[in-house]
Amino acid sequence: MAGNTPDFPDRLRAAGLRPTRQRVALARVLFEGGHRHVTAESLHAEVKATRMPVSLATVYNSLNQFRDAGLLREVVVAPGRSYFDTNTGHHHHFFVENDGELHDFPSEKVTIAGLPTPPKGTRLSRVDVIVRVRR
Amino acid sequence: MAGNTPDFPDRLRAAGLRPTRQRVALARVLFEGGHRHVTAESLHAEVKATRMPVSLATVYNSLNQFRDAGLLREVVVAPGRSYFDTNTGHHHHFFVENDGELHDFPSEKVTIAGLPTPPKGTRLSRVDVIVRVRR
DNA sequence: CAAGAAGATTAGAACTATTCTAATCCTTGC
DNA sequence: GCAAGGATTAGAATAGTTCTAATCTTCTTG
């Protein structure tokens, strides 16, 4: 975390995205601390708090672009509730149904055996495991 | 499947729901064949084709009530894409990302080991496994 | 470093999925 | 058969997300 100076413009360029003011500001909020789960609304509020003008449409555009570029992973937990996760490595999620909280847990110790092979003509894209809990 | 005559009014009563015309018609479409995956829209279209007048609002209400009563299970695969599954037993899903198709697969052979214990103050509700594939 | 082209951003409209509202209707218990 | 309360309805309302067309930035080239 310390040790690699994160040059956000360069990271965006490396992902094939122009480092515009808005995208750099969004990347800073998303990636400069530890891993995070955000929604479009929550990220919009955070970035606006840094006094960088950004529209909600741009937040949606950027989140989709970041996801397509592999910088983020999208997690859908409930109808109309989509989170973007800065942790793109292998891991799974706890979802607390009452309050909508999402937590990572590492996949290291988790093993899934006996999954069937994908239907003919398809290739595996990802396996999502969501452990739903209730208070 | 054959062998138990499905008395839909009784099944609804057993679930704590009044057997109204609409709910009986919906239950018939949902439960009289094999297991199914429906959306509110697709179910609405199907039931209207049986010449029973039903509003979309009632389809949503009924799906939510059936789910709350344990007659259906809801599977959220993508933002704004929610399926209701008549198979409420233990099983997992294939989701074909290109065309939005959802398929069951039995959980018998699938074993998941090493899941962490739920956070303090929560109890396990369910574990969802979605295998995402692409054409 | 100026200029033009390509791409990005914006406000607001539009869209999709779902829920709400208030009036009417149906099912149930007596 | 008749109230009484639950269910249904059309349509309005809401939430989340995408689209549109005009404006503004960034990048490339000279």
Side-chain angles (χ1 to χ4, degrees):
Chain A
M1 224 148 274
N4 70 330
T5 313
D7 183 329
F8 294 111
D10 276 357
R11 281 177 67 174
L12 289 170
R13 262 185 287 261
L17 296 167
R18 277 201 198 173
T20 65
R21 295 140 182 261
Q22 284 80 1
R23 295 210 272 229
V24 172
L26 289 163
R28 203 182 303 283
V29 169
L30 284 169
F31 302 120
E32 103 185 325
H35 285 314
R36 315 211 31 204
H37 296 129
V38 302
T39 63
E41 285 288 353
S42 75
L43 181 59
H44 185 221
E46 268 193 87
V47 173
K48 281 209 307 192
T50 69
R51 312 194 50 66
M52 163 65 65
V54 200
S55 71
L56 186 55
T58 294
V59 174
Y60 275 104
N61 289 340
S62 302
L63 284 172
N64 289 335
Q65 291 151 353
F66 289 8
R67 177 203 54 213
D68 293 346
L71 268 36
L72 290 176
R73 169 170 162 184
E74 188 170 9
V75 187
V76 184
V77 287
R81 198 167 223 157
S82 186
Y83 285 94
F84 288 87
D85 187 347
T86 60
N87 182 355
T88 57
H90 280 188
H91 69 287
H92 302 303
H93 293 100
F94 271 125
F95 178 61
V96 184
E97 291 178 337
N98 305 274
D99 47 22
E101 271 179 56
L102 190 67
H103 302 284
D104 283 2
F105 65 80
S107 65
E108 294 149 19
K109 300 202 171 172
V110 180
T111 55
I112 306 175
L115 285 182
T117 52
K120 272 242 171 85
T122 67
R123 61 184 174 71
L124 187 68
S125 168
R126 189 171 89 191
V127 178
D128 279 349
V129 178
I130 299 183
V131 177
R132 292 167 189 277
V133 300
R134 216 181 284 255
R135 288 202 190 286
Chain B
M1 221 146 279
N4 70 328
T5 312
D7 183 332
F8 294 111
D10 276 358
R11 281 176 68 173
L12 289 170
R13 263 185 286 260
L17 296 168
R18 274 201 199 171
T20 65
R21 295 141 179 258
Q22 284 80 1
R23 296 209 272 230
V24 172
L26 289 164
R28 203 181 303 281
V29 169
L30 285 169
F31 303 121
E32 103 185 325
H35 286 313
R36 317 212 28 204
H37 295 129
V38 302
T39 64
E41 285 288 353
S42 76
L43 181 59
H44 186 220
E46 268 193 87
V47 174
K48 280 207 307 193
T50 70
R51 312 194 51 67
M52 163 65 66
V54 200
S55 71
L56 186 55
T58 293
V59 174
Y60 274 105
N61 288 341
S62 302
L63 284 173
N64 289 335
Q65 291 151 354
F66 289 8
R67 176 203 55 214
D68 292 346
L71 267 35
L72 290 176
R73 168 170 163 185
E74 188 170 10
V75 187
V76 184
V77 288
R81 198 166 221 156
S82 187
Y83 285 94
F84 289 87
D85 188 346
T86 60
N87 182 353
T88 57
H90 281 187
H91 70 286
H92 302 303
H93 293 99
F94 271 124
F95 179 61
V96 185
E97 292 178 336
N98 305 274
D99 47 22
E101 271 179 55
L102 190 68
H103 302 282
D104 283 4
F105 64 80
S107 65
E108 294 149 19
K109 300 203 170 170
V110 180
T111 55
I112 307 176
L115 285 181
T117 53
K120 271 243 172 81
T122 66
R123 61 184 173 74
L124 186 68
S125 167
R126 189 171 88 189
V127 178
D128 280 348
V129 178
I130 298 183
V131 177
R132 292 166 189 278
V133 299
R134 216 182 285 254
R135 289 203 189 285

